[in-house]
Amino acid sequence: MALVLHSGNTNKNAFKALIAAEYSGIKVELVQNFEMGVSNKTPEFIKMNPIGKVPVLETPDGPIFESNAIARYVTRLKPDNPLYGSSPIEYGHIEQWIDFSSLEIDANILKWYFPRMGRAVYLPPAEEAAIAALKRALDALNTHLASTTYLVGHAVTLADIIMTCNLYVGFNRVMTKNFTSEFPHVERYFWTMINQPNFIKIFGEVKQAETVPPVQSAKKPAQPKEAAKSKPKDEPKKEAKKQVPEPAKPKAEAGEEEEAPKPKPKNPLDLLPPSKMILDEWKRLYSNTKTNFREVAIKGFWNMYDPEGYSLWFCDYKYNDENTVSFVTLNKVSGFLQRMDLTRKYAFGKMLVIGSEPPFKVKGLWLFRGQEIPQFVLDECYDMELYDWTKVDISDEAQKERVNQMIEDQEPFEGEALLDAKCFK
Ligand SMILES: N[C@@H](CCC(=O)N[C@@H](CS)C(=O)NCC(=O)O)C(=O)O
């Protein structure tokens, strides 16, 4: 029988247990018809948690409150659960990162976010102190993650689940790309975790905050109901579990005035002199060539290629040592290609995951409109800085041949088997 979790369906504190449950094969279900501010104030609820906060887990042996405790309980239900590590030092490190993520990361994110939402008093020096403390914590986390994929050991643990849930509020609400780019290993870690299948099931699609929300005007007090005030624009997609009424849009939540839409500036790449190379024609040729690939597609590519209107780039992942798990490496590359969606009109790419055993190497070839890697791609896609980029010198036959081999997924590639080849088109 499923354990019942009392919470709304957008609460990152409840997500900790739900994700741990997914990893552990334990059934946990959100209670039906939960209404924040109502359901958690009934005498029955107060008996389960005297402070009247969510989440609370009902178990056959009685209720548990505090989200970290609930996630630990769910994890311990599976004997020898790898989420808990496998030695005393691993248990210690997992607890260390759980506490760090709660006390150094989550607490400071909330001290930044809540006052802006009108859920606590807004004082500029207090905000400044919270941001400084958060940066100090993220800097330490970034240093740790420079040489490791997970917080502890070589697989996801409960520490990663709790850390990612806590980072989520930061990334989703206040920590813009401009803010997080100072911490590239934290960025890579967060997006890698959030794209793991068991996280996607609970979070759905996650987007990074584009702006720090303005301080909520004092005229409009915060609404009392969690459902009405805390649902993000990119609300997790969990249709089956949807139990709260549709929320007001975040705009209403923040009490912002609607701004007149500004005309979208033209992409500078659209202002380049026209090129004889039609990218879509190349993409069609690539997709439709099923046989004789060298003769048809590769030859066709060089016939179409316009070295003035386009440039070719090799990329080489900087942290191949971290690619110790095949599916995590493949997910990382798939995530990169998803995030490159914004460049579809201006680029074509091939990404190879190389090697028959770990650590796997990730190398790629990209065709970009223009002579440089487009600035908007560098600005918008955080993965770009995880690779070394080298412009292809097409007067060098060896480099041209390497381009051909990458387009063709030639195997062996540079003497090694291919684990996978992915195409961006
Ligand atoms: N430390 C608690 C935090 C719980 C918490 O703050 N819950 C909020 C929603 S995220 C709540 O229930 N607020 C209602 C209230 O304050 O009455 C945990 O991790 O479970």
Side-chain angles (χ1 to χ4, degrees), residues 238-249:
K238 293 182 295 150
E239 298 305 333
K241 295 180 181 166
K242 206 174 259 180
Q243 285 135 15
V244 288
E246 273 308 309
K249 289 271 177 265

Side-chain angles (χ1 to χ4, degrees), residues 18-20 22-23 83 149-150 154-157 160-161 164 187-206 322-323 325-336 338-339 382:
L18 293 173
I19 296 167
E22 293 289 344
Y23 273 98
L83 285 185
T149 304
Y150 306 101
H154 299 291
V156 170
T157 66
D160 296 304
I161 295 174
T164 304
E187 287 182 327
R188 170 171 44 83
Y189 168 79
F190 176 73
W191 293 113
T192 303
M193 289 302 143
I194 216 92
N195 282 304
Q196 299 302 306
N198 285 332
F199 283 72
I200 293 177
K201 274 187 217 159
I202 305 301
F203 273 105
E205 194 199 351
V206 171
E322 290 179 2
N323 296 333
V325 181
S326 57
F327 77 91
V328 177
T329 311
L330 296 175
N331 284 349
K332 223 184 258 187
V333 175
S334 307
F336 174 34
Q338 275 169 22
R339 288 183 283 279
Y382 80 95

Side-chain angles (χ1 to χ4, degrees), residues 88-103:
I89 189 68
E90 281 195 359
Y91 310 151
H93 285 157
I94 289 166
E95 295 298 345
Q96 160 194 299
W97 286 114
I98 290 176
D99 284 358
F100 182 91
S101 84
S102 305
L103 303 170

Side-chain angles (χ1 to χ4, degrees), residues 11 13 16 36 40-41 52-55 66-68 226:
N11 185 330
N13 282 331
K16 296 172 185 175
M36 187 65 179
N40 57 318
K41 301 301 167 198
K53 291 192 180 191
V54 291
E66 281 297 328
S67 60
N68 292 350
E226 179 190 66

Side-chain angles (χ1 to χ4, degrees), residues 198-219:
N198 285 332
F199 283 72
I200 293 177
K201 274 187 217 159
I202 305 301
F203 273 105
E205 194 199 351
V206 171
K207 287 194 185 131
Q208 186 158 13
E210 286 177 10
T211 52
V212 179
V215 178
Q216 181 157 347
S217 108
K219 273 181 270 163

